[in-house]
Amino acid sequence: VSNDDHYREVINDKDKRIVTVYGCVQDIKLREELYERLKWTPYSRAEWEKAKEIIKEWDKYGEVDRAWGMVVKIQQSFGHILHGSWMTEVYGRNSAMSWSHWQKDLEIIFKRLEGVYIECDEALGVMKRWDSPQTVFYCDPPYVSTNQGDYGGFTEGDLRELVGFLSNCRSSFVLSGYPNDIVPKEWLYKEVEAYQSAGAKGKTSNHDRGRKATAEELGDRKRVECIWRIDRSANVRAELRWLLLRGQAQGTIFDSVG
């Protein structure tokens, strides 16, 4: 989409270390250096340990080292969690092969971030700045009463504040989370079955890794997630309505959760 289409895309993450990666990708010289380094990084415990050290001693390293460390630490960790352990398994997905496939897509991933606004602020502050009838928010907040990892501290009160904003803003939106009594019952939604990768009560760490885990070993890992959405696109400015119609012809995010 060209800039003449008035198109804007915004990514927000309040973790400044993540923003370091985005900033590195958007700089042509730094991006080339990061690309070559990631391209030839093996799926290796030694590389993962090196990345772990960079995260720990953040201020001692340059921008490319930091970006490389963040990507390797997250992509090679269990559950893709920054402070997770190195991910290995003898049954199911081959994480080393997944890493190889991801490396082949690096150029596409880097290209995807061109022209994207990178915010680093509290979510509601960013949403208030970008709120308009032309905007679609995708909100994936930390789930209340779960292990929130590096984004811990999101409370029921925070969820109420977010829902309150979404109820009264001008934008369309998609919100994901577990079923709860805070989200208005009249919001359109779709339920999706999922399995929690961490923090559940199953005994998956103790079962024979040469076979698939039993229902008993999986324990309470099964979850039902909800995707809520509100479409307010009827209020889009007249001169931009052709863009909306073109998007509807091609299929939109609202079609997938309606």
Side-chain angles (χ1 to χ4, degrees), residues 33-190:
E33 185 179 346
L34 178 61
Y35 174 80
E36 286 300 316
R37 187 168 176 186
L38 286 170
K39 181 180 178 181
W40 297 107
T41 298
Y43 193 86
S44 158
R45 185 183 295 274
E47 296 294 321
W48 180 87
E49 291 285 357
K50 188 186 303 180
K52 181 179 178 181
E53 176 65 21
I54 290 174
I55 304 305
K56 182 179 179 181
E57 303 291 343
W58 187 258
D59 293 335
K60 294 182 179 180
Y61 293 89
E63 203 152 359
V64 173
D65 284 329
R66 293 173 178 177
W68 176 88
M70 286 294 292
V71 171
V72 171
K73 187 63 176 68
I74 292 173
Q75 289 297 116
Q76 293 194 13
S77 288
F78 176 73
H80 299 302
I81 299 171
L82 181 58
H83 296 298
S85 58
W86 191 52
M87 184 161 48
T88 61
E89 61 282 292
V90 296
Y91 184 90
R93 185 184 65 176
N94 182 341
S95 293
M97 188 57 68
S98 296
W99 169 256
S100 177
H101 291 326
W102 181 84
Q103 286 174 306
K104 294 174 183 177
D105 291 334
L106 271 174
E107 190 171 351
I108 297 173
I109 295 169
F110 283 10
K111 184 74 175 176
R112 179 69 181 79
L113 290 173
E114 288 185 0
V116 175
Y117 290 79
I118 308 298
E119 289 269 18
C120 184
D121 199 357
E122 294 296 330
L124 285 180
V126 173
M127 293 168 72
K128 289 174 183 177
R129 286 195 291 274
W130 290 94
D131 183 28
S132 80
Q134 288 70 242
T135 301
V136 178
F137 292 126
Y138 173 57
C139 306
D140 185 26
Y143 293 0
V144 176
S145 300
T146 66
N147 180 1
Q148 298 175 352
D150 298 298
Y151 294 90
F154 190 82
T155 67
E156 186 176 295
D158 294 322
L159 180 59
R160 289 186 185 279
E161 190 174 5
L162 174 60
V163 169
F165 172 81
L166 293 174
S167 295
N168 296 291
C169 70
R170 296 176 295 167
S171 303
S172 302
F173 65 84
V174 176
L175 169 68
S176 56
Y178 287 145
N180 60 76
D181 296 327
I182 298 175
V183 174
K185 302 299 183 184
E186 62 270 20
W187 285 9
L188 295 175
Y189 71 95
K190 182 175 183 178

Side-chain angles (χ1 to χ4, degrees), residues 1 8-10 24 28 63 76 78 82 90 94 123 129 154 169 193 216 228 236 243 254-255:
V1 181
R8 303 288 186 274
E9 188 168 4
V10 183
C24 200
I28 295 177
E63 203 152 359
Q76 293 194 13
F78 176 73
L82 181 58
V90 296
N94 182 341
R129 286 195 291 274
F154 190 82
C169 70
E193 285 192 356
E216 181 181 359
W228 295 273
V236 169
L243 273 176
F254 294 111
D255 295 327

Side-chain angles (χ1 to χ4, degrees), residues 1-28:
V1 181
S2 72
N3 201 45
D4 291 338
D5 290 336
H6 305 276
Y7 182 81
R8 303 288 186 274
E9 188 168 4
V10 183
I11 296 174
N12 179 57
D13 198 303
K14 68 177 184 179
D15 189 334
K16 293 181 179 179
R17 296 172 299 180
I18 294 291
V19 176
T20 295
V21 179
Y22 293 146
C24 200
V25 170
Q26 289 188 319
D27 182 290
I28 295 177

